[in-house]
Amino acid sequence: MSEASAPHAADRRELTAAQRNAVAELLRVSPVADELGRRFVRAGHELHLVGGSVRDALLGRLGDDLDFCTDAHPDETLRILKGWAESIWETGREFGTIGAQRDGLRLEITTFRAESYDQVTRNPVVVYGTNLTEDLKRRDFTINAMAVSLPEHRFTDPHGGLDDLSAKVIRTPAAPRESFGDDPLRMLRAARFAAQLRFAVHPDVHAAMSRMAADLDRITAERIRDEFTKLLCGADPITGLRLLVDTGLAERFLPELTGLKLEIDEHAQHKDVYEHTLTVVENAVSYEEDGCDFVLRMAALMHDVGKPATKAVGPDGRVSFHHHEVVGARLTKARMKALRYPKDLTAKVTGLVALHLRFYGYGRGEWTDSAVRRYVADAGDLLPQLHKLTRSDCTTRNRRKAAQLGADYDALEDRIARIAAEEDLARVRPDLDGNAIMELLGVPPGPVVGRAWKHLKEQRLEHGPLDRDAAEAELLRWARAEGILG
């Protein structure tokens, strides 16, 4: 480790506290872990708590998913688990992993690995290893290359993971070029851990990520999607996102983010759109109430991606981005489809991007109750997230302007609440259903009913609820105008 990344005395004091937490965490799971360790020892094998489980124990945040490694092969592991585990699964067997559950803990036991990679795909040629040291060397980062042997609780740290954990630095056990050459997904994992743990990547790791960014093209879209989702849901997504852009990794799977960097932001011209976007993501995180809201964070990240394609400079030199929300929604849909996100998730994020500018102009006093109803109806179930996204999008340093925007949105939310109290805004529907329309017009199911339903919904949005007589009169008026009734 370089002198610059060596832990300071204060870090060592923090680490002592972390180790005390780790003891408490390990004691919490030790009845199960130690019992399993004794079973492996009686069978003539080793068992070690390893990887993220040891890292998280040292950070005082060990969860209920525990990772182990062993010299036992999968068939032997199965024999040891049978009759002891409450349930067993073999979905990872081809990679040497057997899963089990006991006392509310999910356990994954993997045979020592010493695989090599074909340098074309990320798929390893699985080769079982023979010892713990060899297994730890193949792991992605030093902070994940520590082990606690069971049941004796012997600590093994051949690559300085404890020091790196103290220094809050991400470093690879082998040379970064070798590690990332084996598995390019590790570059994205480095950015993900930086976001999750608020750690910095070692300069050597950063340099290798920059040089080898194109190797990420070997990775499937699904694996990239999963790592990126974890990054965006990290405690500090901004650090991870900056790392993706600075190393060129974003250009390989999310070029829209890099494309924002040179665009001028018309709301705050002291910032470019890239910086504005990161601030919006940060603001969105602050509005979350219960854990990561991926839809909100992703919409915040993508809300302005339509600006580069819509940038125009007027005769007066002013920059505009007309209809960038429409273009941005289209780009967002295409990018999320390419990353294999589910259609329902994509639709929600795209919907928020398309609606994020709707509020601007409300403060001019031009909105009727009809406009408010349409705002609510178009947002649908996304309305709470749209509120948060719109507020997050206010990044101006002009305090008076920021205060006015906040007051305007407060007024809009109050107005929505008032109208909602008078009308069922959450379920804006025509005042006559399909059966009533067919009965009144004397028509069978078909396109006419759909057109009539749509017309009545427009009337509902424009004028609010109609009583039965008024709704029927409007339907008959429309039907005569359309030539449906004589």
Side-chain angles (χ1 to χ4, degrees), residues 390-444:
T390 303
R391 290 184 181 277
S392 298
D393 196 23
C394 177
T395 64
T396 178
R397 292 182 182 178
N398 185 318
R399 292 185 179 181
R400 184 177 63 80
K401 184 177 180 182
Q404 185 60 57
L405 286 170
D408 288 346
Y409 209 85
D410 288 342
L412 175 58
E413 289 202 57
D414 289 344
R415 193 170 174 188
I416 289 172
R418 175 182 62 77
I419 298 176
E422 300 168 358
E423 310 170 18
D424 189 3
L425 283 185
R427 297 172 57 193
V428 175
R429 292 180 175 277
D431 298 283
L432 300 176
D433 63 17
N435 290 327
I437 291 170
M438 288 187 288
E439 180 179 352
L440 195 61
L441 299 184
V443 296

Side-chain angles (χ1 to χ4, degrees), residues 215-352:
D215 286 12
L216 194 64
D217 296 348
R218 291 159 43 193
I219 307 302
T220 64
E222 291 83 358
R223 297 301 302 276
I224 291 175
R225 174 202 64 204
D226 292 346
E227 287 296 330
F228 175 70
T229 299
K230 293 173 184 177
L231 182 158
L232 193 58
C233 279
D236 180 17
I238 306 307
T239 291
L241 292 170
R242 286 192 187 281
L243 192 56
L244 293 179
V245 172
D246 292 347
T247 59
L249 286 168
E251 190 65 34
R252 313 313 304 184
F253 71 94
L254 192 63
E256 294 83 3
L257 177 58
T258 305
L260 295 174
K261 199 158 189 180
L262 299 179
E263 299 300 323
I264 302 300
D265 178 14
E266 83 279 19
H267 294 309
Q269 294 195 11
H270 56 276
K271 300 176 184 176
D272 61 24
V273 176
Y274 172 70
E275 291 296 336
H276 164 74
T277 295
L278 296 184
T279 302
V280 174
V281 174
E282 192 171 33
N283 291 344
V285 172
S286 72
Y287 281 113
E288 291 174 342
E289 298 166 4
D290 185 23
C292 173
D293 183 342
F294 173 77
V295 169
L296 176 62
R297 293 193 188 195
M298 189 65 175
L301 183 66
M302 303 296 285
H303 80 286
D304 274 351
V305 296
K307 283 187 172 179
T310 58
K311 179 182 177 181
V313 181
D316 59 356
R318 293 179 63 84
V319 177
S320 64
F321 304 95
H322 294 306
H323 305 301
H324 76 265
E325 74 282 10
V326 177
V327 175
R330 187 173 69 246
L331 292 172
T332 298
K333 182 178 181 180
R335 181 54 53 198
M336 293 187 71
K337 180 180 180 181
L339 288 172
R340 307 290 193 269
Y341 278 103
K343 290 182 179 179
D344 60 337
L345 202 63
T346 299
K348 291 177 181 179
V349 175
T350 302
L352 287 175

Side-chain angles (χ1 to χ4, degrees), residues 28-172:
R28 179 173 67 82
V29 302
S30 63
V32 169
D34 288 350
E35 186 178 341
L36 184 59
R38 285 191 289 270
R39 291 179 69 88
F40 272 81
V41 169
R42 285 198 298 268
H45 294 289
E46 305 172 23
L47 185 71
H48 312 274
L49 188 68
V50 73
S53 295
V54 176
R55 179 199 70 225
D56 288 344
L58 287 165
L59 292 172
R61 44 182 276 181
L62 183 62
D64 294 330
D65 293 336
L66 304 181
D67 295 324
F68 302 86
C69 66
T70 179
D71 60 339
H73 286 199
D75 285 343
E76 297 166 283
T77 296
L78 280 170
R79 282 195 292 271
I80 294 169
L81 290 173
K82 284 181 178 176
W84 178 82
E86 296 161 359
S87 61
I88 297 173
W89 54 94
E90 302 180 46
T91 51
R93 184 188 181 112
E94 64 177 312
F95 298 109
T97 300
I98 301 296
Q101 182 163 326
R102 171 85 176 193
D103 292 349
L105 298 174
R106 288 175 55 88
L107 320 171
E108 287 200 344
I109 302 103
T110 302
T111 304
F112 290 151
R113 298 256 289 270
E115 70 265 27
S116 59
Y117 292 75
D118 61 15
Q119 300 292 315
V120 176
T121 70
R122 73 164 302 275
N123 297 322
V125 178
V126 177
V127 177
Y128 293 142
T130 59
N131 61 77
L132 177 63
T133 301
E134 186 179 48
D135 181 271
L136 294 178
K137 184 179 180 180
R138 73 169 183 82
R139 294 181 178 267
D140 52 5
F141 305 111
T142 59
I143 58 174
N144 297 331
M146 299 178 283
V148 175
S149 301
L150 300 167
E152 67 269 30
H153 291 189
R154 185 182 71 255
F155 183 70
T156 301
D157 178 24
H159 303 288
L162 201 57
D163 284 343
D164 287 344
L165 198 66
S166 172
K168 299 183 178 180
V169 65
I170 297 169
R171 193 167 55 87
T172 55

